[in-house]
Amino acid sequence: MIRTLPLFAFLSFALITHAAGPLTFEPVATGLTDPVAITHAGDSRLFITLQAGRILIRDGSQLLSTPFLDIRPIVGSGGERGLLGLAFHPHYAENGFFFVNYTDLSGNTVVARYHVSVDPNRADPASRKQLLSIEQPFANHNGGELRFGPDGYLYIGMGDGGSGGDPGNRAQNPGILLGKMLRIDVDAGDPYAIPPSNPFVGVAGTRPEIWALGLRNPWRFTFDRETGALWIADVGQGTWEEVNYQPRTSIGGENYGWRLMEGTHCFNPSSNCNPGNLVLPVLEYDHSGGACSVTGGFVYRGARYPLIEGSYLYGDYCTGTIWGAVRSDTSGLVTVRELASTNFQISAFGEDLNGELYVADYNGAVYHIVDPRPLGPRRRAVRP
């Protein structure tokens, strides 16, 4: 079941459509081992990240045999660990910098910068510069996403450190980086600088890298390339999966509730859990039907499929269901429609230079997402 909620979770709900949806899928890469991320570098290539520590390139027609980057010797992979995120610098064409998020051989999260070599299809493995190392007390809930926001800063999604139920209450602890969304300036300082507009700069006992807190495991988040809004899919504990929304006008400092709440429901404590300052999800769904873990996607801004324009696509890892969510700019309500029922273990979505979307099946393939519905001469685009 999916519940849809306005931004601050008042007691009103939007229309939910359960009919199986229209999307189909064209394979673009097969025979992969554990794909976990898909991105582009400002050109026509797709970069596919494999959990064990390699990044592959699809150059538009084929998967290149030689990896763009292979750091398997320094990556601790398995379970929820591994090479988990990749982000190209907004000025990659000029400076050649890209950033990765991985767990090292000790199980700690590392964010590092690399540089492309003289061959545009090969990175220089010797160019590694470590920006962050964050101790992970358990093997799960590592987060892993990296994205540059419209402000040019690097955002880093950090899980709560793992185990179950956040036993150390780390997501609510402002003195540590676990269970947070971080924001850093990679173009200033060594190895980075704190953006002066970060919400907790100068606050005693609070890490200044923190942009938002109260997250359990924000495995995948994304910025809408048109509006700049931030969509954060946060993996739930045992009952509820959630998606949070942050407008581009946000000044940061949001508390998304974990472990006080799982979705819109009290978790720890079991009642009277919201002190009134929590930002609740714009949508949630429970684990009925075998659902288990939300995988966040993208707002579709491509030109090929206008019937899904403006829809935020996301899915569930266990059921393979893909939904489209549209948020009203006026009411804040979100309308959700099921767009596909697949047999994929959905580990990631991706976006190419033109805004076309892709989905990764952890079983070993990447697909282009297609909406085959014709508009027809009198049919206009209607968001699902």
Side-chain angles (χ1 to χ4, degrees):
M1 180 181 74
I2 298 172
R3 296 178 67 197
T4 56
L5 304 139
L7 183 58
F8 291 100
F10 298 112
L11 297 178
S12 58
F13 301 94
L15 176 66
I16 307 160
T17 304
H18 295 285
L23 299 184
T24 59
F25 305 90
E26 296 176 345
V28 297
T30 58
L32 307 173
T33 302
D34 304 339
V36 293
I38 311 162
T39 191
H40 69 89
D43 54 42
S44 62
R45 297 173 296 173
L46 281 182
F47 292 76
I48 301 171
T49 300
L50 306 184
Q51 185 177 359
R54 291 186 298 157
I55 300 170
L56 307 181
I57 294 177
R58 187 180 190 276
D59 69 355
S61 60
Q62 64 180 337
L63 198 66
L64 302 186
S65 59
T66 301
F68 176 68
L69 180 69
D70 186 347
I71 55 172
R72 285 176 291 180
I74 65 172
V75 172
S77 181
E80 296 183 17
R81 293 172 167 171
L83 177 57
L84 305 177
L86 165 66
F88 289 90
H89 193 282
H91 302 295
Y92 176 75
E94 292 76 40
N95 62 31
F97 291 148
F98 66 95
F99 300 80
V100 295
N101 184 327
Y102 65 91
T103 46
D104 65 17
L105 299 178
S106 298
N108 299 321
T109 288
V110 172
V111 175
R113 187 190 76 193
Y114 284 85
H115 193 281
V116 69
S117 73
V118 293
D119 179 349
N121 290 325
R122 297 290 303 277
D124 177 4
S127 65
R128 176 182 176 273
K129 180 178 179 62
Q130 182 171 302
L131 276 66
L132 273 170
S133 177
I134 302 171
E135 183 178 355
Q136 291 282 359
F138 298 96
N140 55 339
H141 303 180
N142 300 290
E145 185 74 276
L146 296 171
R147 291 210 174 269
F148 281 92
D151 51 20
Y153 296 130
L154 182 64
Y155 290 70
I156 304 163
M158 292 299 305
D160 65 9
S163 188
D166 192 7
N169 200 23
R170 297 177 180 90
Q172 292 295 322
N173 182 349
I176 61 175
L177 299 180
L178 297 172
K180 314 298 190 303
M181 183 69 68
L182 313 180
R183 186 175 79 150
I184 62 174
D185 184 350
V186 300
D187 295 321
D190 187 11
Y192 62 86
I194 303 297
S197 56
N198 272 12
F200 300 110
V201 170
V203 177
T206 301
R207 290 291 298 263
E209 294 95 339
I210 296 173
W211 175 253
L213 66 157
L215 295 165
R216 183 178 180 274
N217 191 26
W219 166 244
R220 291 294 173 243
F221 64 88
T222 188
F223 292 92
D224 183 339
R225 62 160 60 189
E226 181 176 298
T227 69
L230 173 61
W231 293 79
I232 307 170
D234 196 13
V235 178
Q237 176 64 38
T239 307
W240 294 97
E241 304 299 308
E242 68 180 75
V243 175
N244 297 289
Y245 174 89
Q246 185 181 103
R248 182 172 183 169
T249 54
S250 169
I251 59 172
E254 288 89 347
N255 186 335
Y256 290 110
W258 177 252
R259 70 178 183 178
L260 298 169
M261 304 186 75
E262 182 188 14
T264 63
H265 312 268
C266 287
F267 182 82
N268 186 0
S270 59
S271 62
N272 299 317
C273 57
N274 189 346
N277 64 336
L278 304 182
V279 179
L280 302 187
V282 291
L283 65 89
E284 63 180 11
Y285 66 91
D286 66 25
H287 286 189
S288 60
C292 73
S293 180
V294 65
T295 300
F298 291 78
V299 178
Y300 180 72
R301 299 297 184 186
R304 296 178 64 179
Y305 310 119
L307 290 173
I308 58 170
E309 193 278 329
S311 296
Y312 169 71
L313 271 62
Y314 65 102
D316 186 82
Y317 176 80
C318 288
T319 66
T321 304
I322 295 175
W323 298 278
V326 176
R327 180 180 180 273
S328 168
D329 293 333
T330 54
S331 68
L333 289 173
V334 173
T335 303
V336 176
R337 179 184 177 186
E338 183 177 321
L339 294 179
S341 178
T342 77
N343 61 358
F344 305 156
Q345 287 184 305
I346 300 172
S347 55
F349 291 83
E351 183 183 46
D352 67 18
L353 176 64
N354 297 317
E356 298 304 321
L357 299 187
Y358 301 79
V359 61
D361 177 2
Y362 190 68
N363 292 309
V366 170
Y367 299 87
H368 172 222
I369 297 175
V370 175
D371 184 351
R373 294 173 293 176
L375 284 175
R378 295 186 178 180
R379 191 173 176 185
R380 62 184 178 87
V382 179
R383 295 178 180 179

